[in-house]
Amino acid sequence: MAFNVTIRQSGKQFQVEADEPVLTAALRQGIGLPYGCKNGACGSCKGQLVNGSIEQRSHSSSALSNDEKTRGMALFCCATAQSDLEIDIREIAGVGDMQVKKLPCRVNALERVAHDVIVLKLQLPANERLQYLAGQYIEFILKDGTRRSYSMASAPHHEGPLELHIRHMPGGVFTDHVFGAMKERDILRFEGPLGTFFLREDADKPIVLLASGTGFAPIKAIIEHARFKNITRPMTLYWGGRRRGDLYLASLAEQWAREVPGFKFVPVLSEPDPADNWQGRTGFVHRAVIEDLPDLSGYQVYACGAPVMVEAAQRDFTAHHGLPANEFYADSFTSAADLANAV
Ligand code: FES
């Protein structure tokens, strides 16, 4: 049995099957709703249930609190319909135009750029091309059906292989495989492009790009895309890591700072090793933004990396430093461990 869903603001309608998440149904029918993790961990797909009833499935309490639930808020990535619905949620132009495909790919190269980071390059079948927005991600589909998400670090105009940045999580099935047995010419399967983290090109505000660790990957794609499109908005990249080696492509960011007018790079280390001989900024990367830009009211911020960094940045920037809530765009790296807190 299918139900009808109406989006209050635009009046757009789509059908959802009885056991199908509302978000999945929307994307399947070309309607761009916001989302990130698709598993109840990040809160990106949160919206208001105006009319009708849903079953809200397992999710993290940090993504949707009990108080929000009693106020009729819902996470549509893990909500199914029990009647026709009317919902209120911001729509994302552009995402719905990208065709989501399941594709095989071949490992083209594995480049170790830090002791725990590999740049993985993937070749698509000769007759395939993946259209995506800079900042989006793909999901590998593993043999047991589980999935692992990675942002594309290459910009969409790039003609070569797709580039991903993989950090080794010891004990993690997929990354142990990448850092152990995976070799060139191996075949993988993925689905994509996914996600609503991409550069909003209809604005002219200066941009703050905020990354921790391999959160640099989609930020790299966004910067390379902006260069390709001759976008001249001022951009400052704050990239944080614990040690110098965590900023595994710092030389590329330094090169942008030399070559791209209006681009600045601020590397920030939270625990520099004495051997790093670090003369640069220290502390939490989002605090460095606040020190430099205490008034963020005229900016757009794009943040990607560890959930703790993304959440702290969103809270502090919007609550205390004037950033409009709708000018904070984020992709936080959620993992199986984050779902241990699921309710
Ligand atoms: S997309 Fe729904 S909680 Fe992340």
PDB file of all heavy atoms in Angstrom, residues 23 34-46 59 63 75-78 137 334, ligand 1:
ATOM      1  N   LEU A  23      12.379   9.662   3.021  1.00  0.00           N
ATOM      2  CA  LEU A  23      13.477  10.273   2.257  1.00  0.00           C
ATOM      3  C   LEU A  23      13.788   9.461   1.001  1.00  0.00           C
ATOM      4  O   LEU A  23      13.955  10.017  -0.091  1.00  0.00           O
ATOM      5  CB  LEU A  23      14.731  10.369   3.138  1.00  0.00           C
ATOM      6  CG  LEU A  23      15.986  10.823   2.400  1.00  0.00           C
ATOM      7  CD1 LEU A  23      15.917  12.302   2.059  1.00  0.00           C
ATOM      8  CD2 LEU A  23      17.238  10.525   3.203  1.00  0.00           C
ATOM      9  N   PRO A  34      16.985  17.383   2.105  1.00  0.00           N
ATOM     10  CA  PRO A  34      18.317  17.361   2.706  1.00  0.00           C
ATOM     11  C   PRO A  34      18.597  16.045   3.414  1.00  0.00           C
ATOM     12  O   PRO A  34      17.697  15.480   4.036  1.00  0.00           O
ATOM     13  CB  PRO A  34      18.271  18.529   3.704  1.00  0.00           C
ATOM     14  CG  PRO A  34      16.831  18.685   4.037  1.00  0.00           C
ATOM     15  CD  PRO A  34      16.060  18.269   2.823  1.00  0.00           C
ATOM     16  N   TYR A  35      19.815  15.560   3.355  1.00  0.00           N
ATOM     17  CA  TYR A  35      20.189  14.375   4.114  1.00  0.00           C
ATOM     18  C   TYR A  35      21.698  14.252   4.148  1.00  0.00           C
ATOM     19  O   TYR A  35      22.409  14.927   3.403  1.00  0.00           O
ATOM     20  CB  TYR A  35      19.577  13.096   3.529  1.00  0.00           C
ATOM     21  CG  TYR A  35      20.114  12.693   2.183  1.00  0.00           C
ATOM     22  CD1 TYR A  35      21.123  11.752   2.061  1.00  0.00           C
ATOM     23  CD2 TYR A  35      19.594  13.256   1.033  1.00  0.00           C
ATOM     24  CE1 TYR A  35      21.617  11.380   0.820  1.00  0.00           C
ATOM     25  CE2 TYR A  35      20.078  12.894  -0.210  1.00  0.00           C
ATOM     26  CZ  TYR A  35      21.084  11.957  -0.306  1.00  0.00           C
ATOM     27  OH  TYR A  35      21.566  11.612  -1.538  1.00  0.00           O
ATOM     28  N   GLY A  36      22.179  13.416   5.034  1.00  0.00           N
ATOM     29  CA  GLY A  36      23.615  13.137   5.124  1.00  0.00           C
ATOM     30  C   GLY A  36      23.834  11.655   5.271  1.00  0.00           C
ATOM     31  O   GLY A  36      24.047  10.934   4.317  1.00  0.00           O
ATOM     32  N   CYS A  37      23.684  11.140   6.512  1.00  0.00           N
ATOM     33  CA  CYS A  37      24.058   9.755   6.812  1.00  0.00           C
ATOM     34  C   CYS A  37      23.049   8.720   6.329  1.00  0.00           C
ATOM     35  O   CYS A  37      23.386   7.582   6.102  1.00  0.00           O
ATOM     36  CB  CYS A  37      24.239   9.598   8.310  1.00  0.00           C
ATOM     37  SG  CYS A  37      22.675   9.796   9.222  1.00  0.00           S
ATOM     38  N   LYS A  38      21.797   9.083   6.224  1.00  0.00           N
ATOM     39  CA  LYS A  38      20.691   8.176   5.891  1.00  0.00           C
ATOM     40  C   LYS A  38      20.516   7.050   6.902  1.00  0.00           C
ATOM     41  O   LYS A  38      19.942   6.020   6.588  1.00  0.00           O
ATOM     42  CB  LYS A  38      20.856   7.586   4.480  1.00  0.00           C
ATOM     43  CG  LYS A  38      20.684   8.641   3.414  1.00  0.00           C
ATOM     44  CD  LYS A  38      20.198   8.065   2.109  1.00  0.00           C
ATOM     45  CE  LYS A  38      21.193   7.148   1.496  1.00  0.00           C
ATOM     46  NZ  LYS A  38      20.753   6.532   0.268  1.00  0.00           N
ATOM     47  N   ASN A  39      21.033   7.221   8.098  1.00  0.00           N
ATOM     48  CA  ASN A  39      20.807   6.162   9.095  1.00  0.00           C
ATOM     49  C   ASN A  39      20.478   6.722  10.484  1.00  0.00           C
ATOM     50  O   ASN A  39      20.732   6.072  11.485  1.00  0.00           O
ATOM     51  CB  ASN A  39      21.988   5.188   9.143  1.00  0.00           C
ATOM     52  CG  ASN A  39      23.272   5.889   9.521  1.00  0.00           C
ATOM     53  OD1 ASN A  39      23.244   7.002  10.028  1.00  0.00           O
ATOM     54  ND2 ASN A  39      24.389   5.247   9.277  1.00  0.00           N
ATOM     55  N   GLY A  40      19.938   7.918  10.542  1.00  0.00           N
ATOM     56  CA  GLY A  40      19.446   8.430  11.817  1.00  0.00           C
ATOM     57  C   GLY A  40      20.507   8.982  12.734  1.00  0.00           C
ATOM     58  O   GLY A  40      20.260   9.163  13.925  1.00  0.00           O
ATOM     59  N   ALA A  41      21.695   9.278  12.191  1.00  0.00           N
ATOM     60  CA  ALA A  41      22.777   9.726  13.074  1.00  0.00           C
ATOM     61  C   ALA A  41      23.087  11.211  12.983  1.00  0.00           C
ATOM     62  O   ALA A  41      23.604  11.784  13.935  1.00  0.00           O
ATOM     63  CB  ALA A  41      24.045   8.932  12.765  1.00  0.00           C
ATOM     64  N   CYS A  42      22.810  11.861  11.844  1.00  0.00           N
ATOM     65  CA  CYS A  42      23.349  13.214  11.665  1.00  0.00           C
ATOM     66  C   CYS A  42      22.317  14.328  11.842  1.00  0.00           C
ATOM     67  O   CYS A  42      22.688  15.474  12.098  1.00  0.00           O
ATOM     68  CB  CYS A  42      23.994  13.342  10.294  1.00  0.00           C
ATOM     69  SG  CYS A  42      22.812  13.426   8.936  1.00  0.00           S
ATOM     70  N   GLY A  43      21.056  14.048  11.664  1.00  0.00           N
ATOM     71  CA  GLY A  43      20.023  15.081  11.843  1.00  0.00           C
ATOM     72  C   GLY A  43      19.767  15.937  10.617  1.00  0.00           C
ATOM     73  O   GLY A  43      18.907  16.822  10.637  1.00  0.00           O
ATOM     74  N   SER A  44      20.486  15.700   9.509  1.00  0.00           N
ATOM     75  CA  SER A  44      20.328  16.568   8.332  1.00  0.00           C
ATOM     76  C   SER A  44      18.931  16.502   7.725  1.00  0.00           C
ATOM     77  O   SER A  44      18.485  17.445   7.080  1.00  0.00           O
ATOM     78  CB  SER A  44      21.324  16.178   7.238  1.00  0.00           C
ATOM     79  OG  SER A  44      22.617  16.254   7.711  1.00  0.00           O
ATOM     80  N   CYS A  45      18.252  15.362   7.885  1.00  0.00           N
ATOM     81  CA  CYS A  45      16.969  15.161   7.211  1.00  0.00           C
ATOM     82  C   CYS A  45      15.787  15.561   8.095  1.00  0.00           C
ATOM     83  O   CYS A  45      14.655  15.186   7.802  1.00  0.00           O
ATOM     84  CB  CYS A  45      16.826  13.693   6.824  1.00  0.00           C
ATOM     85  SG  CYS A  45      16.775  12.650   8.288  1.00  0.00           S
ATOM     86  N   LYS A  46      16.072  16.318   9.138  1.00  0.00           N
ATOM     87  CA  LYS A  46      15.007  16.655  10.099  1.00  0.00           C
ATOM     88  C   LYS A  46      14.011  17.634   9.492  1.00  0.00           C
ATOM     89  O   LYS A  46      14.384  18.577   8.801  1.00  0.00           O
ATOM     90  CB  LYS A  46      15.644  17.261  11.353  1.00  0.00           C
ATOM     91  CG  LYS A  46      14.706  17.363  12.501  1.00  0.00           C
ATOM     92  CD  LYS A  46      15.404  17.536  13.854  1.00  0.00           C
ATOM     93  CE  LYS A  46      16.763  18.107  13.832  1.00  0.00           C
ATOM     94  NZ  LYS A  46      17.443  18.016  15.114  1.00  0.00           N
ATOM     95  N   HIS A  59      17.162   5.772  15.799  1.00  0.00           N
ATOM     96  CA  HIS A  59      17.997   6.916  15.441  1.00  0.00           C
ATOM     97  C   HIS A  59      18.797   7.346  16.658  1.00  0.00           C
ATOM     98  O   HIS A  59      18.524   6.938  17.788  1.00  0.00           O
ATOM     99  CB  HIS A  59      17.126   8.074  14.948  1.00  0.00           C
ATOM    100  CG  HIS A  59      16.176   8.554  15.997  1.00  0.00           C
ATOM    101  ND1 HIS A  59      16.526   9.495  16.936  1.00  0.00           N
ATOM    102  CD2 HIS A  59      14.904   8.195  16.284  1.00  0.00           C
ATOM    103  CE1 HIS A  59      15.507   9.698  17.746  1.00  0.00           C
ATOM    104  NE2 HIS A  59      14.503   8.913  17.381  1.00  0.00           N
ATOM    105  N   ALA A  63      20.548  13.320  17.131  1.00  0.00           N
ATOM    106  CA  ALA A  63      19.977  13.756  15.851  1.00  0.00           C
ATOM    107  C   ALA A  63      18.527  14.216  16.015  1.00  0.00           C
ATOM    108  O   ALA A  63      18.059  15.103  15.291  1.00  0.00           O
ATOM    109  CB  ALA A  63      20.046  12.616  14.829  1.00  0.00           C
ATOM    110  N   LEU A  75      12.814  12.559  11.673  1.00  0.00           N
ATOM    111  CA  LEU A  75      13.955  12.291  10.787  1.00  0.00           C
ATOM    112  C   LEU A  75      13.413  11.454   9.630  1.00  0.00           C
ATOM    113  O   LEU A  75      13.073  10.281   9.810  1.00  0.00           O
ATOM    114  CB  LEU A  75      15.049  11.517  11.523  1.00  0.00           C
ATOM    115  CG  LEU A  75      15.731  12.216  12.684  1.00  0.00           C
ATOM    116  CD1 LEU A  75      16.753  11.284  13.343  1.00  0.00           C
ATOM    117  CD2 LEU A  75      16.405  13.513  12.255  1.00  0.00           C
ATOM    118  N   PHE A  76      13.345  12.063   8.456  1.00  0.00           N
ATOM    119  CA  PHE A  76      12.652  11.381   7.365  1.00  0.00           C
ATOM    120  C   PHE A  76      13.477  10.269   6.720  1.00  0.00           C
ATOM    121  O   PHE A  76      12.931   9.480   5.961  1.00  0.00           O
ATOM    122  CB  PHE A  76      12.176  12.405   6.333  1.00  0.00           C
ATOM    123  CG  PHE A  76      11.065  13.262   6.882  1.00  0.00           C
ATOM    124  CD1 PHE A  76      11.244  14.615   7.082  1.00  0.00           C
ATOM    125  CD2 PHE A  76       9.852  12.689   7.239  1.00  0.00           C
ATOM    126  CE1 PHE A  76      10.225  15.390   7.615  1.00  0.00           C
ATOM    127  CE2 PHE A  76       8.834  13.456   7.770  1.00  0.00           C
ATOM    128  CZ  PHE A  76       9.012  14.818   7.962  1.00  0.00           C
ATOM    129  N   CYS A  77      14.781  10.186   7.026  1.00  0.00           N
ATOM    130  CA  CYS A  77      15.559   9.066   6.476  1.00  0.00           C
ATOM    131  C   CYS A  77      15.171   7.754   7.142  1.00  0.00           C
ATOM    132  O   CYS A  77      15.406   6.694   6.587  1.00  0.00           O
ATOM    133  CB  CYS A  77      17.053   9.305   6.641  1.00  0.00           C
ATOM    134  SG  CYS A  77      17.648   9.139   8.330  1.00  0.00           S
ATOM    135  N   CYS A  78      14.631   7.832   8.354  1.00  0.00           N
ATOM    136  CA  CYS A  78      14.290   6.602   9.073  1.00  0.00           C
ATOM    137  C   CYS A  78      12.864   6.709   9.621  1.00  0.00           C
ATOM    138  O   CYS A  78      12.592   6.271  10.733  1.00  0.00           O
ATOM    139  CB  CYS A  78      15.312   6.322  10.167  1.00  0.00           C
ATOM    140  SG  CYS A  78      15.688   7.712  11.221  1.00  0.00           S
ATOM    141  N   TYR A 137      28.891  12.385  -1.877  1.00  0.00           N
ATOM    142  CA  TYR A 137      29.624  11.161  -1.540  1.00  0.00           C
ATOM    143  C   TYR A 137      29.043   9.955  -2.265  1.00  0.00           C
ATOM    144  O   TYR A 137      27.968  10.038  -2.885  1.00  0.00           O
ATOM    145  CB  TYR A 137      29.626  10.929  -0.025  1.00  0.00           C
ATOM    146  CG  TYR A 137      28.275  10.634   0.607  1.00  0.00           C
ATOM    147  CD1 TYR A 137      27.780   9.332   0.684  1.00  0.00           C
ATOM    148  CD2 TYR A 137      27.500  11.643   1.148  1.00  0.00           C
ATOM    149  CE1 TYR A 137      26.570   9.050   1.285  1.00  0.00           C
ATOM    150  CE2 TYR A 137      26.278  11.377   1.751  1.00  0.00           C
ATOM    151  CZ  TYR A 137      25.818  10.085   1.811  1.00  0.00           C
ATOM    152  OH  TYR A 137      24.605   9.812   2.390  1.00  0.00           O
ATOM    153  N   THR A 334      29.708  10.083  10.243  1.00  0.00           N
ATOM    154  CA  THR A 334      29.135   9.218  11.263  1.00  0.00           C
ATOM    155  C   THR A 334      29.594   7.796  10.991  1.00  0.00           C
ATOM    156  O   THR A 334      29.902   7.436   9.873  1.00  0.00           O
ATOM    157  CB  THR A 334      27.604   9.280  11.234  1.00  0.00           C
ATOM    158  OG1 THR A 334      27.170   9.033   9.909  1.00  0.00           O
ATOM    159  CG2 THR A 334      27.123  10.638  11.681  1.00  0.00           C
TER     160      THR A 334
HETATM  161  S1  FES B   1      20.141  11.717   6.994  1.00  0.00           S
HETATM  162 FE1  FES B   1      18.645  11.372   8.493  1.00  0.00          FE
HETATM  163  S2  FES B   1      19.701  11.508  10.338  1.00  0.00           S
HETATM  164 FE2  FES B   1      21.288  11.654   8.841  1.00  0.00          FE
END
